[in-house]
Amino acid sequence: MKNKSCRLTTGQALVRYLGRQYVERDGKRNRFIEGIWGIFGHGNVAGLGQGIVELSRAEGLRFYKPQHEQAMVHTAAAFAKHRNRLATFACTTSIGPGAANMVTGAAGATVNRIPVLLLPSDYFANRVPDPVLQQLEHTIERDVSVNDAFRPVSKFFDRISRPEQLLASLQEAFRVLTDPADTGAVTICLPEDVQAEAWDWPEEFFEQRIWHVRRPVPEPELVSKVVTLLKEAKRPLIISGGGTIYSEASSELGRFIEAFGIPIVETQAGKGVLPWNHRFNAGPVGSNGATSANSLARKADLIIAVGTRLSDFTTASKSAFQNPSVRFVGVNVAPMDASKLAGLPVVADAKRALPVLSAALTDAGYKGSEAAYREEVSSLKADWDAKVTELRTPAEGPLSELAVIGIVNEAVGGNATVVCAAGGMPGELVRLWRPEDPKAYHMEYGFSCMGYEIAGGLGVRLAEPEREVVVMVGDGSYLMMNSEIVTAVGEGLQLTIVLVDNHGYQCILGLQRAVGVSDFGNELRYRDQKSDQLTGAYIPVDLVKHAESMGAHAVFAQTAKEVAGAVKKARQTGGVTVVVVPVDPEKRMPGMGTWWDVPVAEVSAEEETRKTRERYEEATSSQRPVFV
Ligand SMILES: Cc1ncc(C[n+]2csc(CCOP(=O)(O)OP(=O)(O)O)c2C)c(N)n1
Ligand SMILES: [Mg+2]
């Protein structure tokens, strides 16, 4: 018997399919694709674009138009991150440059393991008009297009040269998108002629589909091994990453550490899993870490890494763990992450694994860490908290970026979501911001992509309209990508943006000094006519006028009172408010004995560089590239 079918174009069928995909986890169900973001060109306006016009409203998919293709991927990723990867957006572009503009966003999503569905258009499958406007004519490989640049940055890649290929392709695309270990950017390239081509689609293809988001349980054999390891450990420590938050395992983690007196330290993606003032939360670990967390990490003999990819910032480029007999356990849905640092790979979901471990430990008579260790944790934590308070407190004279962070945090509280990605602020926020909720700290520090901040803030705002959102952005990031303010204004969204102006790329300038190079090419300065270098006066950019021109309310605030007042007022004013805060670039975060591996020139005519190289070589000797 022939099944019923319906005749639709590829573009129409795709829209219908997207509207009917749901996810389910812990018995809760929601639509997976919340809407479609797109910028049209000849590649998609008649194909998928026509499908969107005709069907998206009926399918409950709202269409959004950003100002930049890269930005819309950041928005989609931020939305998905805030929703713990249980929902995202689809993003459509034209061919060539529109598609290429999404590659950076795709990489960011994949690096951070965040689902985004990317639908770049591609040149004609029939190749009759070749080369179509914007087509890359590869001289040897005729089937290569600009879109092949998505391959290394996607977790799934396909090119649809016949409509019916969508049947199998979308099935796999959604499996990857909704799988906690495999997820990332999923790219389906759509040749412009195929988008407009009709086919008889089986009705079943459009039935509502519910994707179960798995929570793998730990293997009992490995649970026993963890029990043995913990019973032997004197200084156990948990590193908690973004995975713990995506898994919604805050309560399970809290119960586990309370039961056994094991402290946690946080990564950038994992910050906020427990409130900053939880007695066993020893703060951020690694290169931008707290003295408390780093002291515990240095001496730990057993580290349980939960939901973290153990990036170089977390491990201080593999120098953070100095106990000769330290062992690692990796609790992670992704086998690659579970096995890092030669860890015992407990491939499991955090929310499932922690109670299982807890029960096994109790059964085995494990009483938890010793009193002296717990006391050490509290005393380290108390010292660190006092240090944070001191660093956040405004001093005399022009504001420091550190003080601005404290002022803004005080003004919005511990439940508003702070959004940031690149510059000096991520390293400062991770130490100084005090979140009181797992969704109060949104840092994109896997790719640390300049330009994510405002677009990301927009995504968070859409993901949870009730919560206050404050974007912290440096002048460099702002100048690179600010035009999503127009999108937020157009959508009537409230967004508070704190724009910290220190005349350029001050974190890289600080790094430059740290690697023994003199100040060069990082500040926003005129070319000096005499030296022919970028050493002239600061280029005055009127950031207030700039923000105003896009429809934002803009406020210049240079004292603690003005900053706090402007931030508080922003929420009542509604719409987008940009608070421009000038800060003293030389009031930097003091050194805290941490390290990040950035290689220093091995030979140089500069004495300073040679000395720095000596110190660098000394520092690398504390790296441990191999663990057993
Ligand atoms: C797209 C992109 N390009 C380059 C970099 C390298 N980079 C990291 S931070 C930074 C400077 C950021 O300047 P700003 O936003 O003003 O922050 P500040 O350094 O002053 O704190 C640069 C160039 C990056 N992370 N992302
Ligand atoms: Mg700056």
Short mmCIF file of all heavy atoms in Angstrom, two decimals, residues 302-344:
data_model
loop_
_atom_site.label_atom_id
_atom_site.label_comp_id
_atom_site.label_asym_id
_atom_site.label_seq_id
_atom_site.Cartn_x
_atom_site.Cartn_y
_atom_site.Cartn_z
N LEU A 302 43.22 13.18 44.79
CA LEU A 302 42.21 12.58 43.91
C LEU A 302 41.32 13.70 43.38
O LEU A 302 40.73 14.45 44.17
CB LEU A 302 41.36 11.55 44.66
CG LEU A 302 40.29 10.90 43.77
CD1 LEU A 302 40.93 10.00 42.70
CD2 LEU A 302 39.30 10.09 44.59
N ILE A 303 41.26 13.79 42.07
CA ILE A 303 40.42 14.82 41.47
C ILE A 303 39.31 14.17 40.67
O ILE A 303 39.57 13.35 39.77
CB ILE A 303 41.26 15.78 40.60
CG1 ILE A 303 42.17 16.60 41.53
CG2 ILE A 303 40.37 16.69 39.75
CD1 ILE A 303 43.06 17.58 40.87
N ILE A 304 38.08 14.51 41.03
CA ILE A 304 36.94 14.03 40.26
C ILE A 304 36.48 15.18 39.38
O ILE A 304 36.01 16.20 39.88
CB ILE A 304 35.80 13.54 41.19
CG1 ILE A 304 36.36 12.51 42.18
CG2 ILE A 304 34.66 12.94 40.37
CD1 ILE A 304 35.33 11.93 43.13
N ALA A 305 36.70 15.01 38.09
CA ALA A 305 36.36 16.08 37.13
C ALA A 305 34.97 15.78 36.59
O ALA A 305 34.77 14.80 35.89
CB ALA A 305 37.38 16.12 36.01
N VAL A 306 34.01 16.61 36.96
CA VAL A 306 32.62 16.35 36.58
C VAL A 306 32.19 17.35 35.50
O VAL A 306 32.21 18.56 35.74
CB VAL A 306 31.66 16.46 37.79
CG1 VAL A 306 30.24 16.05 37.40
CG2 VAL A 306 32.16 15.64 38.97
N GLY A 307 31.84 16.84 34.33
CA GLY A 307 31.28 17.70 33.28
C GLY A 307 32.22 18.80 32.82
O GLY A 307 31.77 19.91 32.55
N THR A 308 33.50 18.50 32.76
CA THR A 308 34.45 19.53 32.29
C THR A 308 35.33 18.98 31.17
O THR A 308 35.66 17.80 31.16
CB THR A 308 35.33 20.08 33.43
OG1 THR A 308 36.45 20.79 32.87
CG2 THR A 308 35.85 19.00 34.35
N ARG A 309 35.71 19.89 30.26
CA ARG A 309 36.61 19.47 29.18
C ARG A 309 38.06 19.75 29.55
O ARG A 309 38.96 19.59 28.74
CB ARG A 309 36.21 20.11 27.85
CG ARG A 309 35.93 21.58 27.91
CD ARG A 309 35.20 22.03 26.65
NE ARG A 309 36.14 22.12 25.55
CZ ARG A 309 36.91 23.18 25.28
NH1 ARG A 309 36.86 24.26 26.04
NH2 ARG A 309 37.73 23.17 24.26
N LEU A 310 38.30 20.21 30.77
CA LEU A 310 39.65 20.39 31.29
C LEU A 310 40.55 21.16 30.34
O LEU A 310 41.60 20.69 29.92
CB LEU A 310 40.26 19.02 31.66
CG LEU A 310 39.57 18.31 32.83
CD1 LEU A 310 39.95 16.83 32.89
CD2 LEU A 310 39.89 18.97 34.18
N SER A 311 40.10 22.36 30.01
CA SER A 311 40.88 23.21 29.10
C SER A 311 42.13 23.71 29.82
O SER A 311 42.27 23.56 31.03
CB SER A 311 40.03 24.41 28.68
OG SER A 311 40.02 25.37 29.72
N ASP A 312 42.99 24.36 29.04
CA ASP A 312 44.26 24.82 29.64
C ASP A 312 44.03 25.84 30.75
O ASP A 312 44.79 25.89 31.71
CB ASP A 312 45.22 25.36 28.57
CG ASP A 312 44.70 26.58 27.84
OD1 ASP A 312 43.50 26.89 27.94
OD2 ASP A 312 45.50 27.23 27.13
N PHE A 313 42.97 26.64 30.64
CA PHE A 313 42.72 27.60 31.72
C PHE A 313 42.35 26.89 33.02
O PHE A 313 42.63 27.37 34.11
CB PHE A 313 41.64 28.62 31.31
CG PHE A 313 42.24 29.86 30.72
CD1 PHE A 313 42.46 29.98 29.36
CD2 PHE A 313 42.65 30.89 31.55
CE1 PHE A 313 43.05 31.10 28.83
CE2 PHE A 313 43.26 32.02 31.03
CZ PHE A 313 43.46 32.14 29.66
N THR A 314 41.69 25.75 32.90
CA THR A 314 41.28 24.99 34.09
C THR A 314 42.48 24.29 34.72
O THR A 314 42.63 24.26 35.94
CB THR A 314 40.20 23.97 33.70
OG1 THR A 314 39.07 24.69 33.21
CG2 THR A 314 39.78 23.11 34.87
N THR A 315 43.36 23.74 33.88
CA THR A 315 44.49 22.98 34.42
C THR A 315 45.72 23.86 34.60
O THR A 315 46.79 23.34 34.93
CB THR A 315 44.87 21.81 33.48
OG1 THR A 315 45.40 22.36 32.26
CG2 THR A 315 43.68 20.91 33.15
N ALA A 316 45.58 25.18 34.36
CA ALA A 316 46.73 26.09 34.33
C ALA A 316 47.81 25.49 33.42
O ALA A 316 48.97 25.34 33.80
CB ALA A 316 47.26 26.39 35.73
N SER A 317 47.38 25.16 32.23
CA SER A 317 48.26 24.54 31.22
C SER A 317 49.00 23.33 31.80
O SER A 317 50.19 23.14 31.60
CB SER A 317 49.24 25.56 30.66
OG SER A 317 48.56 26.70 30.18
N LYS A 318 48.27 22.52 32.55
CA LYS A 318 48.77 21.28 33.17
C LYS A 318 49.81 21.53 34.26
O LYS A 318 50.64 20.67 34.56
CB LYS A 318 49.33 20.33 32.11
CG LYS A 318 48.36 20.04 30.97
CD LYS A 318 48.10 18.56 30.79
CE LYS A 318 46.94 18.31 29.85
NZ LYS A 318 47.33 17.92 28.51
N SER A 319 49.74 22.70 34.89
CA SER A 319 50.66 22.96 35.99
C SER A 319 49.92 23.00 37.34
O SER A 319 50.54 23.18 38.38
CB SER A 319 51.39 24.29 35.78
OG SER A 319 50.49 25.37 35.98
N ALA A 320 48.60 22.85 37.30
CA ALA A 320 47.80 23.08 38.51
C ALA A 320 47.90 21.95 39.54
O ALA A 320 47.65 22.16 40.72
CB ALA A 320 46.33 23.30 38.15
N PHE A 321 48.26 20.75 39.08
CA PHE A 321 48.18 19.58 39.97
C PHE A 321 49.59 19.06 40.27
O PHE A 321 50.23 18.47 39.40
CB PHE A 321 47.31 18.49 39.31
CG PHE A 321 46.07 19.07 38.66
CD1 PHE A 321 45.91 19.05 37.28
CD2 PHE A 321 45.09 19.68 39.44
CE1 PHE A 321 44.78 19.61 36.68
CE2 PHE A 321 43.96 20.24 38.84
CZ PHE A 321 43.81 20.20 37.46
N GLN A 322 50.05 19.30 41.48
CA GLN A 322 51.46 19.01 41.78
C GLN A 322 51.66 17.84 42.73
O GLN A 322 52.79 17.44 42.98
CB GLN A 322 52.13 20.26 42.35
CG GLN A 322 52.29 21.39 41.33
CD GLN A 322 53.19 21.02 40.15
OE1 GLN A 322 54.12 20.23 40.29
NE2 GLN A 322 52.89 21.54 38.97
N ASN A 323 50.58 17.28 43.25
CA ASN A 323 50.77 16.11 44.11
C ASN A 323 51.29 14.95 43.25
O ASN A 323 50.65 14.57 42.27
CB ASN A 323 49.41 15.74 44.75
CG ASN A 323 49.55 14.66 45.80
OD1 ASN A 323 50.34 13.73 45.64
ND2 ASN A 323 48.78 14.78 46.86
N PRO A 324 52.46 14.38 43.61
CA PRO A 324 53.04 13.34 42.74
C PRO A 324 52.11 12.15 42.53
O PRO A 324 52.17 11.49 41.50
CB PRO A 324 54.30 12.91 43.49
CG PRO A 324 54.54 13.93 44.54
CD PRO A 324 53.26 14.66 44.80
N SER A 325 51.24 11.88 43.52
CA SER A 325 50.40 10.68 43.35
C SER A 325 48.97 11.02 42.97
O SER A 325 48.07 10.20 43.13
CB SER A 325 50.44 9.86 44.64
OG SER A 325 50.07 10.67 45.72
N VAL A 326 48.75 12.22 42.45
CA VAL A 326 47.37 12.60 42.09
C VAL A 326 46.79 11.66 41.02
O VAL A 326 47.48 11.26 40.09
CB VAL A 326 47.28 14.08 41.64
CG1 VAL A 326 48.06 14.35 40.36
CG2 VAL A 326 45.82 14.51 41.47
N ARG A 327 45.51 11.31 41.23
CA ARG A 327 44.80 10.47 40.25
C ARG A 327 43.53 11.21 39.85
O ARG A 327 42.98 11.98 40.64
CB ARG A 327 44.40 9.13 40.87
CG ARG A 327 45.55 8.23 41.22
CD ARG A 327 46.13 7.58 39.97
NE ARG A 327 47.29 6.75 40.26
CZ ARG A 327 48.53 7.21 40.44
NH1 ARG A 327 48.78 8.49 40.37
NH2 ARG A 327 49.53 6.39 40.69
N PHE A 328 43.04 10.92 38.66
CA PHE A 328 41.84 11.60 38.17
C PHE A 328 40.72 10.61 37.88
O PHE A 328 40.97 9.48 37.45
CB PHE A 328 42.15 12.37 36.88
CG PHE A 328 43.07 13.53 37.09
CD1 PHE A 328 44.45 13.35 37.09
CD2 PHE A 328 42.58 14.80 37.34
CE1 PHE A 328 45.31 14.41 37.31
CE2 PHE A 328 43.42 15.87 37.56
CZ PHE A 328 44.80 15.68 37.54
N VAL A 329 39.51 11.08 38.13
CA VAL A 329 38.31 10.36 37.70
C VAL A 329 37.55 11.34 36.84
O VAL A 329 37.41 12.51 37.20
CB VAL A 329 37.44 9.96 38.91
CG1 VAL A 329 36.09 9.40 38.45
CG2 VAL A 329 38.16 8.97 39.81
N GLY A 330 37.09 10.91 35.67
CA GLY A 330 36.31 11.80 34.82
C GLY A 330 34.87 11.34 34.75
O GLY A 330 34.59 10.22 34.31
N VAL A 331 33.96 12.16 35.26
CA VAL A 331 32.53 11.85 35.13
C VAL A 331 32.01 12.75 34.03
O VAL A 331 31.93 13.96 34.20
CB VAL A 331 31.77 12.10 36.45
CG1 VAL A 331 30.28 11.82 36.28
CG2 VAL A 331 32.36 11.27 37.58
N ASN A 332 31.69 12.15 32.89
CA ASN A 332 31.32 12.96 31.74
C ASN A 332 30.53 12.13 30.75
O ASN A 332 30.80 10.95 30.59
CB ASN A 332 32.60 13.49 31.06
CG ASN A 332 32.35 14.80 30.35
OD1 ASN A 332 31.54 14.85 29.43
ND2 ASN A 332 33.02 15.84 30.79
N VAL A 333 29.56 12.75 30.09
CA VAL A 333 28.81 12.03 29.05
C VAL A 333 29.68 11.78 27.82
O VAL A 333 29.40 10.88 27.03
CB VAL A 333 27.54 12.79 28.61
CG1 VAL A 333 26.42 12.62 29.61
CG2 VAL A 333 27.82 14.26 28.33
N ALA A 334 30.73 12.58 27.66
CA ALA A 334 31.59 12.45 26.48
C ALA A 334 32.83 11.63 26.83
O ALA A 334 33.61 12.03 27.69
CB ALA A 334 32.00 13.83 25.99
N PRO A 335 33.02 10.47 26.18
CA PRO A 335 34.17 9.63 26.52
C PRO A 335 35.50 10.38 26.41
O PRO A 335 36.40 10.19 27.23
CB PRO A 335 34.09 8.49 25.49
CG PRO A 335 32.65 8.43 25.11
CD PRO A 335 32.14 9.83 25.20
N MET A 336 35.62 11.26 25.43
CA MET A 336 36.88 11.99 25.27
C MET A 336 37.20 12.81 26.52
O MET A 336 38.34 12.82 26.99
CB MET A 336 36.79 12.93 24.06
CG MET A 336 38.01 13.81 23.88
SD MET A 336 37.99 14.75 22.34
CE MET A 336 36.83 16.04 22.71
N ASP A 337 36.20 13.47 27.07
CA ASP A 337 36.43 14.30 28.25
C ASP A 337 36.62 13.44 29.50
O ASP A 337 37.43 13.76 30.37
CB ASP A 337 35.27 15.27 28.47
CG ASP A 337 35.19 16.30 27.35
OD1 ASP A 337 36.26 16.67 26.83
OD2 ASP A 337 34.08 16.70 26.98
N ALA A 338 35.87 12.34 29.58
CA ALA A 338 35.97 11.47 30.76
C ALA A 338 37.37 10.88 30.90
O ALA A 338 37.83 10.61 32.01
CB ALA A 338 34.93 10.35 30.67
N SER A 339 38.05 10.71 29.78
CA SER A 339 39.37 10.05 29.81
C SER A 339 40.54 11.00 29.97
O SER A 339 41.68 10.57 30.05
CB SER A 339 39.59 9.28 28.51
OG SER A 339 38.48 8.49 28.22
N LYS A 340 40.28 12.30 29.98
CA LYS A 340 41.39 13.25 30.00
C LYS A 340 42.23 13.13 31.28
O LYS A 340 41.72 12.72 32.32
CB LYS A 340 40.87 14.67 29.84
CG LYS A 340 40.51 14.97 28.38
CD LYS A 340 39.91 16.35 28.21
CE LYS A 340 39.58 16.57 26.73
NZ LYS A 340 38.76 17.78 26.55
N LEU A 341 43.49 13.51 31.20
CA LEU A 341 44.46 13.42 32.29
C LEU A 341 44.53 11.98 32.83
O LEU A 341 44.67 11.76 34.04
CB LEU A 341 44.13 14.41 33.43
CG LEU A 341 43.94 15.88 33.05
CD1 LEU A 341 43.75 16.75 34.28
CD2 LEU A 341 45.09 16.41 32.20
N ALA A 342 44.39 11.05 31.89
CA ALA A 342 44.44 9.62 32.24
C ALA A 342 43.41 9.26 33.30
O ALA A 342 43.63 8.36 34.12
CB ALA A 342 45.85 9.23 32.69
N GLY A 343 42.30 9.97 33.29
CA GLY A 343 41.27 9.73 34.30
C GLY A 343 40.58 8.38 34.13
O GLY A 343 40.53 7.83 33.04
N LEU A 344 40.04 7.89 35.25
CA LEU A 344 39.18 6.71 35.19
C LEU A 344 37.89 7.19 34.53
O LEU A 344 37.18 8.03 35.10
CB LEU A 344 38.91 6.22 36.62
CG LEU A 344 38.01 4.99 36.76
CD1 LEU A 344 38.74 3.74 36.32
CD2 LEU A 344 37.53 4.86 38.20
#
